[in-house]
Amino acid sequence: MSRTLILWLPPVAALDGKDDALLHPAWLRADDGVIVDSGQDEGWIDAGERAAGVADADDRLIALAPAIDVPIRWRRYPDAAPAQAAAAARVDTLRDSLGEGALLHIVAGEPATTGQAVPVAVTTHAAMAVWTGWLAERGLSADAIIPAAAAVPPPEAESLWRAELGGEHIVRSADRAYVSDPALDPLIAASHPVLPLAADRMREALLLTVAAPPLDLLSGAWKPKRRWALDPALVRLAKRLAIALVAVSLLIPVVHMLRVASDTRRADAAVIAMAKSAGINAPDAITAEAEIDRRLAAAGGGPLAFSVPASALYAAMRDAPGVSIRSLSHRTDGTLTTMLAAPRVEDINQVLLALQARGYRITAQPMAGSDGQQLANITIRAVP
C-alpha cells in the first residue's frame, strides 16, 4: 500500500513570529490515492513518522508551500520544445521579478508536450531555508515541496476560481494563481466572475497534483543530495561471501601443500623400492639416491659420466649455430671442460644461459682469438 502524508507548510511570516498555533498545520493522509484521514491537529505527527520511513518504505511526505509565499504563473511558448520552454520561462520570470535575482528561487515545471503552458513558481531562498529547517526540527524530510497554488485547476473560460486550500483562499485565473485579497480581486478579475470551486473538486485536483507534481521546489540549489542506504540483507550476504573467500583462499594453498606432500611421499617410496631392487637398503630416498650415485660413479656412469654434461652442452648449442667447440675434456669428478668459439660473445652467452637453465654450474673465461673469433674456456659441473 502506498501512503502519502500531505502537510501544509506555515507561512514564512508566521514562522518568523513563532506562533504556537503553527504546531497544528493542516494535513491530509491518503492511501492509494484515497483520503483516509485529515485534520489540523497533532494527528499528523504519527503519519509523519510513517512518511519519514519509520514504518514503511512506501510512505511519502509531500509538503505544500503556501500561496502567499509562492505565487504561480503559467507561461506559453507554442513553438518551443518542453525543455526549451521551461528554460525560457525561468529566464522571463527572473527578468520580470522584483528584487535581487540571487535571493530568488525560481522553479519552472516541464510541460509534457510542445505548446503546453509552463508553470513557474517564485519564492526566496530564505523561505526555503525556513521551511526545510521547520521540517528538520520535527525529524521530517519532504519527498517534494509543491506550491499549494499549483493544485488549483484552471477555471472555465472568461472566469476565475476561488478555492480554499489549507486555510488559504487562492484565486486561479487562466495564467496565474495567488492568494486572494478582497481589495485586489475585483481589480484583477475586471469584468470576469470569480466563482467558488467546490471542495470535492479541489480535493480531487489536489490528489492528482500530489500524484504527478507539475513542479517541485526541491530543485536546483535545494535538490536533496542522494543518500545511499545499505540493505542489511546485502550486507549480511557480503560478509558471508567475504568469509567464504577468505576460507577458500586459505584452503587452496593447504590443499596444494597436501597434494605436494602426498606426491613427494609416493616418489620417495618409488625411489626406495627401486633402490631395494638394486640391493640397496636405505631408510629414506635421499640416502638411497646418494648410494646409487656413489655406485654409478664408481662404475663410471650416472650423472658423473661424460655423456650427461656433454649431451646438455650439445643441446644448448643447437639453438646457437654460430658456436663451435675447439676442445673438450672430461674429469673423473664429472666436470666437463671445453673451449667454445663464436663470431660474437652474445652467441657464447646464449649457450651458457641455456646450460644454467638446465641447472648446471658454469664458469667461463672469455678471450679473443687470433682469427677474430671470440673464445671462452668453459667448465661445466656434471652434477646439477
Side-chain angles (χ1 to χ4, degrees):
M1 178 182 292
S2 176
R3 300 186 181 94
T4 302
L5 171 64
I6 305 170
L7 183 65
W8 273 262
L9 296 172
V12 174
L15 278 176
D16 290 340
K18 304 298 182 182
D19 190 346
D20 292 339
L22 297 176
L23 295 175
H24 310 292
W27 59 275
L28 292 174
R29 189 164 69 85
D31 293 351
D32 291 332
V34 178
I35 296 176
V36 296
D37 201 1
S38 64
Q40 194 165 358
D41 50 28
E42 295 182 352
W44 67 274
I45 296 177
D46 294 335
E49 290 178 352
R50 289 193 294 270
V54 174
D56 194 329
D58 290 336
D59 292 351
R60 294 192 310 152
L61 171 61
I62 302 298
L64 295 181
I68 191 172
D69 294 312
V70 191
I72 300 291
R73 181 174 179 181
W74 281 264
R75 293 180 177 270
R76 294 186 179 276
Y77 302 90
D79 299 327
Q84 294 174 337
R90 285 192 296 270
V91 172
D92 291 345
T93 301
L94 177 62
R95 182 193 58 200
D96 297 341
S97 298
L98 300 176
E100 186 176 349
L103 303 178
L104 298 177
H105 180 47
I106 300 175
V107 180
E110 187 170 315
T113 60
T114 301
Q116 284 187 342
V118 181
V120 187
V122 181
T123 187
T124 64
H125 291 292
M128 292 296 298
V130 169
W131 288 326
T132 54
W134 184 83
L135 289 169
E137 289 175 0
R138 287 150 181 81
L140 299 176
S141 177
D143 293 281
I145 298 180
I146 305 172
V152 182
E156 304 293 339
E158 304 298 326
S159 65
L160 290 82
W161 287 131
R162 178 184 287 110
E164 184 177 354
L165 188 60
E168 283 187 311
H169 293 277
I170 301 174
V171 175
R172 171 73 155 92
S173 65
D175 60 352
R176 297 177 187 272
Y178 49 91
V179 68
S180 176
D181 187 326
L184 297 178
D185 289 349
L187 299 177
I188 296 175
S191 59
H192 304 305
V194 181
L195 305 175
L197 181 63
D200 292 343
R201 187 173 177 184
M202 183 65 252
R203 282 195 296 270
E204 293 176 1
L206 175 61
L207 293 176
L208 291 175
T209 301
V210 169
L215 51 83
D216 183 4
L217 296 180
L218 292 177
S219 61
W222 294 97
K223 186 175 183 179
K225 295 181 180 179
R226 180 177 295 179
R227 294 175 294 180
W228 297 98
L230 294 177
D231 188 348
L234 291 178
V235 173
R236 289 193 296 270
L237 178 60
K239 289 181 178 178
R240 292 171 183 170
L241 291 176
I243 294 172
L245 180 61
V246 171
V248 171
S249 300
L250 295 176
L251 190 60
I252 288 175
V254 170
V255 171
H256 180 69
M257 192 164 51
L258 292 176
R259 291 185 60 184
V260 170
S262 177
D263 293 342
T264 302
R265 285 194 297 269
R266 286 197 298 270
D268 290 346
V271 170
I272 294 173
M274 291 175 63
K276 188 175 292 186
S277 65
I280 300 173
N281 292 321
D284 53 47
I286 296 177
T287 304
E289 186 176 359
E291 179 62 20
I292 292 174
D293 289 342
R294 187 189 66 78
R295 293 187 182 187
L296 288 173
L304 300 181
F306 167 77
S307 60
V308 176
S311 63
L313 174 62
Y314 286 122
M317 291 175 58
R318 188 179 299 124
D319 296 328
V323 179
S324 61
I325 296 177
R326 291 287 180 92
S327 63
L328 185 65
S329 63
H330 179 256
R331 296 201 299 261
T332 57
D333 63 353
T335 301
L336 188 71
T337 302
T338 182
M339 177 181 285
L340 300 181
R344 301 181 307 163
V345 175
E346 289 78 2
D347 297 331
I348 298 177
N349 289 339
Q350 182 179 351
V351 175
L352 300 182
L353 291 174
L355 288 169
Q356 288 178 344
R358 291 172 177 262
Y360 289 92
R361 293 184 180 180
I362 307 298
T363 61
Q365 295 179 350
M367 63 187 72
S370 58
D371 57 353
Q373 291 278 84
Q374 299 295 325
L375 306 177
N377 286 322
I378 309 299
T379 60
I380 305 170
R381 288 290 304 272
V383 180

